[in-house]
Amino acid sequence: MKTRYTIIYILLSAALLLPSAAQSKISPADRIRQSLPNLKGEEKLKALVNLYELTYENDNEQEQIGCLTALIDEARKQGDIEKESYGRISRLCTYYNYDRDDKLNQLMPGEMAFFADHNQWKDYYHAWSLKANNYFFSGEYYTALREAEKIFTDAKKRGSSEGISLALSIMGQVYFIMKDNHQACKNFKAAVNRLIENNSKSYSAFCNLYYSYCFALTSLGNYQEVDRITKDWLYRIDLWKKDRQQKGLETSSLDSRYLYCYLAMAQNEITKKNLDKADSYLKEAEDMGRGQSGIIRGSILSVRETYYRERKDYNKALEMNNESHALAKKFGDSLGVINIQVSRAAILMEMGRKDEAAVIYAHLIDLKDSINSADNRRLLNEMNALFHADYQINEARNEMGQRKISIMAAIIAFAIITIVVLVYLIRARYRMIRQLESNTQQLVVAKERAMESAKMKESFIHSMSHEIRTPLNIINGFTQAITLPGISLSEEERQDAMKRISDATHNITVILDNLLELSKQESLGEIKKKQTLYCNDLCQQAIAMSGIRSTEKVKFEFNSTLDDMQTIKTDRDCFVKIVVELLHNAQKFTEEGTISLSLSRNMQPAILYLTIENTGTIIPSNEKDRIFETFVKLDAFKEGVGVGLSMCRLLAKRIGGSIRLDPTYKEGNRFMLTLPM
């Protein structure tokens, strides 16, 4: 059974009569089974709901499915849509809990169609969330996040507070597992507020949210908010229990809800060093957890182990750890086993048993390396599934000849170019419309920009057509020369043709990479976490990557007034990318003369100055800002699509700097990058 906590929507039904004293020795489930043949109508549906919930507590898949099948059939006969919907969503949850993905995938489309046809939107979004949760617990976090965003958009359109809350909760789980606890808390809080604002009676949704929310808050040290949340948590479970008692539904299933609430409270008190209070909450949880499944027992053991470690009762902590280890092995939870071993090593270190801890750590290093490798493969596979263009190219390369690969590359290239153009035009149009709405006096300016955008689009398409057509003609021409029958080539000619095909393919790839990199950088903000790096070393790396060197006609120089130990806090990739692009730009426009790269600094304020000068074609002063716009090319006959300088400005902004063309330099062009030290 999956070690995850699934939301179960409980329909509230009228009460069954309490059993007589003579029946007290018969279990509640058997009593209901005995009474079923004599029940009809609503009473029979109530009995089937109660029977299912009792079997749910017994942790028996076959019994649960049997009860739910009977409930669905009886509800269909009686025309009770709500009870039938309850049975259907509960059946999906049961298959989900027991890892029956085959049955879940088989039933999911039909069940979601049923929920939509009968306006059972709460169950509809619950079923959809199971799909997103499956991605999440399979480690496909980006896919889970994308699925949650789809749920959020659809639920917002229909005005479903439960659907919106479910989507936000899944997003919070993804951010939490990816260590972005601040964003996780924002999502959990928004999900809770959505339920509160709409006066939701979905107590189960509240409880599941609170469990995740509390642990995210505890990780941030927001203990006061955890205290407030757990009080509301207990209050809503009490309301839920009272409601179920009034409707004649069993309440034993709520014990686990109380249990997890007490565990969250205990964890919070342990973190605050209130150990006596934490112990009292743990005892409450342990009383409710007696006889419960191994999953619940494992949760209790984990918190109890933390408690004993804080008490410095390390022998007791080891006992809890050993029991957790046995449970994790029993359930085949390999990741859980590793985490438990990490905890055990930490306990041994605190006990001074460093040699034993070292043995465990040595073993864990190999295991974690293996897991990290598996995780990397999984993430690569996931990204490959989301962005399948590369996958199609690789498949084509393995299964088809060189000519078919070239054709496929051309199709994908034009498809990506079309998408980039559309995205750019949509963004330009959106900005233009927003400006029109905010100030009618700017209509004339907006019209001129629209015309300029159209011209830019036309220019871009012509430019891209030229840049792509040339290498494609090379690919097609030489591919035909190699593959068509009747054409005899020497080995030297064949090698030359293959080189030209490879170079042309590389040129297409560079163009597409630049377009994709530009689109990516436009969507990102400023980099917050920066590395401490050596200034001169960064420039040497950029020079090496650019491949620039002195030739007979063009001399290259690197000058720095900084010593080799001078450092700067910045992002290595962004810095190097900027310098490489500027050097490539200088090479492109310098046929004869000098290209120089210079480094200097200012003390107050501490600013790094990087300049690249070339004696090539001088850029007019009235074009000094326009050259940094996307797809702008002053010389239509030069290679490229006009994104290099635009990307440089975006990258400079991301690392907190700026880049400009010095209009006072008269011997050629001088680009100046300034960065805070």
Side-chain angles (χ1 to χ4, degrees), residues 354-370:
K354 297 180 181 179
D355 291 342
E356 295 175 61
V359 172
I360 295 175
Y361 281 132
H363 177 63
L364 288 174
I365 289 172
D366 293 335
L367 283 176
K368 285 194 172 183
D369 286 344
S370 176

Side-chain angles (χ1 to χ4, degrees), residues 298-310:
S299 300
I300 296 172
L301 287 169
S302 178
V303 180
R304 180 57 86 175
E305 178 188 319
T306 306
Y307 166 81
Y308 281 130
R309 283 183 64 182
E310 200 62 42

